[in-house]
Amino acid sequence: MKKIIFLVITMITFGITTAQTEKGHLFLEVNTNLGAASPSSTGFSFSTEKVGSTTVTQYSVGAEAGYFLMEGLALKLGVGYGDDSVNSVLGFKIGAKYYLQDKFPIQLDLNGSYNKVLFANPMYVGLQVGYAFFIGDNVSIEPAVRYDYSVNDQYSTEGIIQLNLGLVLHL
C-alpha cells in the first residue's frame, strides 16, 4: 500500500505523463460515497450507526480503472470490498465513461456484489454525471451525482442516490 501511495504522489508531483481523454490512455479512479452507500460499492466509505444497543460500523474500499477506446470514451472496470461487522461483500463494476467536452464525465455501468453470508447478489444499473476539475495535466477531481437502479426483484427498486467525490489519475 505504501508503494502505491508513493507512486501516486510521485506521478502527481512530477507530472510524468500528460493526460487527458485521448485514445489509448489509461486512468485510475477512487471515489468517496457521500450519500447512501451502494451495497456494491467500488468506492471508499465509512459509517457507524447505533442499532439498539449495538454500534454497527460499515466500510468499503475499492478502485476503478479505465482505458480510452477513442477520444473521450473509456471502458471502466472496478472492484471493491465492504464489511458491516456481519457481512462481507465483494463489489464489481463494468461500464463506460464519456467525457463531454473533456469536462463533463457521464458514466453508465452495471454494478453488483457477492455477499457470501446472505448468498445475495444484488445488481444495479448505474448512471453518474459530474464535472472534472483538472488540477494538473494528469489529475482531476470529479464531484458527481450517481443513481443506481436495482435489477433484482428482491431489492428495492426505488434506487439509490449518491454524491461522489472522485480523484482520477490519468496515465
Side-chain angles (χ1 to χ4, degrees):
M1 184 67 174
K2 289 180 183 180
K3 290 180 181 181
I4 292 171
I5 292 170
F6 177 74
L7 177 64
V8 169
I9 291 171
T10 302
M11 292 177 76
I12 291 170
T13 304
F14 295 105
I16 292 173
T17 61
T18 50
Q20 315 274 7
T21 60
E22 297 170 355
K23 180 180 178 178
H25 286 250
L26 300 169
F27 65 88
L28 300 174
E29 179 176 349
V30 292
N31 286 289
T32 60
N33 301 322
L34 304 174
S38 169
S40 60
S41 178
T42 58
F44 285 82
S45 65
F46 179 82
S47 66
T48 59
E49 178 182 0
K50 189 91 167 163
V51 178
S53 62
T54 306
T55 300
V56 177
T57 301
Q58 300 178 358
Y59 71 91
S60 67
V61 294
E64 300 170 18
Y67 176 78
F68 284 97
L69 302 172
M70 57 186 278
E71 178 73 29
L73 179 64
L75 176 63
K76 281 184 70 173
L77 298 173
V79 295
Y81 174 81
D83 194 300
D84 66 2
S85 303
V86 176
N87 301 309
S88 59
V89 176
L90 296 174
F92 71 89
K93 184 182 291 181
I94 182 169
K97 186 172 189 175
Y98 181 70
Y99 282 84
L100 182 64
Q101 298 178 357
D102 288 340
K103 293 191 184 288
F104 302 99
I106 301 167
Q107 180 173 308
L108 180 64
D109 58 63
L110 180 65
N111 61 85
S113 65
Y114 171 71
N115 183 322
K116 68 179 181 177
V117 174
L118 299 177
F119 301 105
N121 298 306
M123 194 165 298
Y124 302 88
V125 172
L127 176 65
Q128 182 170 307
V129 178
Y131 185 81
F133 293 99
F134 279 89
I135 57 175
D137 286 340
N138 60 341
V139 179
S140 64
I141 296 175
E142 298 183 3
V145 175
R146 179 174 181 78
Y147 179 76
D148 281 323
Y149 180 79
S150 175
V151 296
N152 301 89
D153 290 337
Q154 73 265 34
Y155 298 99
S156 172
T157 57
E158 294 177 13
I160 298 171
I161 296 177
Q162 296 175 315
L163 298 175
N164 290 345
L165 183 61
L167 177 66
V168 183
L169 178 62
H170 297 264
L171 306 171

